[in-house]
Amino acid sequence: MGSTQHDVGALAPGAHSFTVDGVRQVYHVAGTGPVCVAHSGGPGIEWSYLRAPSLEEHFTMVYVEPVGTGASGRLDTADDYRMATYVHFLDAVVTHLGEPRVYLLGHSYGGFVIQRYALEHPDRVAGLALYDTSPRTGADFWADAMANLATYPQRHPDRPEAAEIPAALQQALSATDDETLSAGLGAALPVYFGDFWARQAEFAPLQAGLRAWATPAGAQDPEPFDVRDRLGEITVPAVVIVGAHDFICGPRYAEELHAGLKDSRLALLDKSGHFGHIEQPAEFTEAVVELLKR
């Protein structure tokens, strides 16, 4: 794929944009310290949920707006939203920043992207924060997630609303327009937390403001993601962070990552689901910052 177009002040605080193969790429900079590029999950979810102000006290955080979402550009066809595309755009951001090596934080699907990036561009990576992610997907992965989803109402028998969560997420997964997807994910959001109901007022703004885009969310690579046999090639320091109650990228997958990597630390957030940076921000931050000490 083609070249990038550069601008001056790529790491100044605030929003930035440049073009990659004629497509607009937006990112946001906040904080001070070594550069850490953060790739959000989904795919197709707005970047802002991943903002972690506590990390900005230790890193210059660069939050990518993935192509197909927010103010970033759109690709010509749904089939263009592939793992290789996200890795290419991430590489364009890293190159644009002008830093020899950067730390990478990847949440959920973003964790898939940074694993692949570290394998393809090992010389550009200082360390990895693999956050609520997995070294693989596939039929077993999704069956496990759906089984956990189905049992969610039983975990909260005192909350009648919990019974509606599985159907809400299924609605989101089958959505073909942005509004239906965003509404379905918002309604299903409690399943992504360790205990949403105990802190409902605190999490309500995230639930109300969640935005997602159906075209990138619905796109799929021809083959499931699986880098288990290549994890040993990643030699930079890594921290694997996982919520004990994460229904989709839970501890079993974090343990697979930790076992396969050469130099990793496993951080289990005991009260968290899929959003430990919101549920247990101090513990989450401590785990990521440890990368700076290794």
Side-chain angles (χ1 to χ4, degrees):
M1 299 176 84
S3 62
T4 63
Q5 175 184 328
H6 297 267
D7 71 356
V8 178
L11 282 166
H16 299 258
S17 68
F18 67 104
T19 60
V20 183
D21 306 327
V23 179
R24 188 177 194 230
Q25 173 63 69
V26 177
Y27 66 93
H28 303 259
V29 179
T32 58
V35 174
C36 179
V37 181
H39 200 293
S40 52
I45 309 295
E46 187 174 39
W47 73 277
S48 59
Y49 82 87
L50 189 56
R51 184 162 186 185
S54 57
L55 280 185
E56 295 163 14
E57 299 174 11
H58 304 274
F59 294 92
T60 299
M61 295 299 300
V62 176
Y63 301 98
V64 176
E65 287 201 41
V67 64
T69 71
S72 286
R74 305 298 185 258
L75 301 176
D76 290 339
T77 70
D79 287 343
D80 292 333
Y81 292 100
R82 296 284 170 87
M83 175 64 64
T85 304
Y86 292 109
V87 171
H88 173 64
F89 274 78
L90 177 58
D91 185 50
V93 171
V94 172
T95 300
H96 179 77
L97 296 176
E99 295 290 305
R101 298 168 76 212
V102 300
Y103 292 92
L104 295 175
L105 166 67
H107 178 236
S108 198
Y109 184 87
F112 305 162
V113 176
I114 71 167
Q115 287 175 72
R116 183 70 72 186
Y117 184 85
L119 289 167
E120 295 183 10
H121 304 280
D123 58 322
R124 308 303 304 274
V125 181
L128 297 175
L130 295 161
Y131 170 34
D132 283 327
T133 188
S134 169
R136 63 182 173 97
T137 58
D140 291 346
F141 175 89
W142 289 110
D144 186 34
M146 292 303 101
N148 291 335
L149 174 66
T151 61
Y152 178 77
Q154 299 166 26
R155 287 174 46 201
H156 299 280
D158 57 329
R159 287 285 181 174
E161 311 100 302
E164 302 169 8
I165 299 299
L169 187 56
Q170 292 290 358
Q171 172 193 334
L173 293 174
S174 61
T176 56
D177 65 88
D178 301 345
E179 293 74 18
T180 302
L181 174 60
S182 298
L185 285 175
L189 198 66
V191 73
Y192 288 91
F193 286 82
D195 191 353
F196 177 87
W197 312 107
R199 298 165 65 182
Q200 186 171 3
E202 181 184 351
F203 301 146
L206 173 65
Q207 186 177 35
L210 193 66
R211 295 177 65 208
W213 286 266
T215 301
Q220 292 187 4
D221 274 72
E223 298 294 330
F225 178 75
D226 192 343
V227 295
R228 284 174 291 178
D229 62 346
R230 296 193 62 194
L231 288 176
E233 299 173 33
I234 298 175
T235 58
V236 296
V239 59
V240 179
I241 305 169
V242 64
H245 307 287
D246 189 343
F247 87 100
I248 191 166
C249 289
R252 65 180 291 188
Y253 304 106
E255 288 163 3
E256 288 181 9
L257 273 171
H258 177 55
L261 292 163
K262 293 283 190 185
D263 179 10
S264 73
R265 176 190 168 229
L266 180 61
L268 180 70
L269 304 183
D270 61 339
K271 298 179 179 63
S272 294
H274 200 59
F275 292 109
H277 70 292
I278 299 171
E279 297 172 90
Q280 293 180 261
E283 294 87 345
F284 171 82
T285 301
E286 180 183 7
V288 179
V289 169
E290 186 171 302
L291 286 174
L292 298 177
K293 305 172 185 177
R294 290 160 59 190

